Amino acid sequence: MSSLPSLRDYTDADLSEVVALYTAAIHGLTGDHYTAAQRMAWAPLQPDLAGWRERLRGLRVLLAEERGVLAGFIAWDADGHIDLLFTAPACARRGVAGMLYARAEAALRAAGVGELRTEASLVARPFFEGQGFDVVEVEDVLRGGVSLRRFAMRKRLSAS
Ligand SMILES: CC(C)(COP(=O)(O)OP(=O)(O)OC[C@H]1O[C@@H](n2cnc3c(N)ncnc32)[C@H](O)[C@@H]1OP(=O)(O)O)[C@@H](O)C(=O)NCCC(=O)NCCS
């Protein structure tokens, strides 16, 4: 049985649960597109929690919960950069990311942002295309000496 997720703002107390979800999403949902070495470089099994705390403090972070359990999260910059979007493997393809993204886009529109940007993984590219983003560049970035493919994507927001 599933119920609609509820959304709430992140606090520092959510740090370890958020990082655990990030790690689980990468290791559980990207295996068709990235090798084990790539996944390990992208999401080390022993994450740098202090680094994560600093990173998340600089972002607007929204959580989706199902019956009190974290189902996904999104994080963005005030300038329109969608930095992080991750869904728990057990909750994938149930609209969690769509719900989080819709709230983030609404907030950015309300703030008068004219363009959204993200760097999407091979897994996330179809999600962002479905939200109206276009690929502007294919990028291969190094993480821990391992190359990872991603796509710089943009979406213009109309004034209305
Ligand atoms: C990408 C991700 C956030 C999508 O989360 P989700 O909650 O499963 O997405 P939704 O259920 O809201 O998907 C909405 C639509 O996006 C598209 N989509 C989502 N995941 C997809 C996938 N793996 N392959 C193809 N299309 C996908 C589909 O059109 C989907 O609609 P449908 O299920 O009716 O076909 C999730 O797969 C994830 O965390 N992936 C691993 C980490 C990652 O790559 N994060 C993004 C970093 S840039």
Side-chain angles (χ1 to χ4, degrees), residues 29-30 85-87 92-98 119-121 123-124 126-127:
L29 293 174
T30 73
L85 177 61
F86 291 87
T87 295
R93 301 305 283 269
R94 300 216 314 254
V96 171
E119 292 80 35
S121 69
V123 182
F127 171 86

Side-chain angles (χ1 to χ4, degrees), residues 138-149:
V138 180
E139 300 177 343
D140 291 306
V141 291
L142 281 182
R143 293 282 176 272
V146 179
S147 178
L148 292 166
R149 175 143 297 185

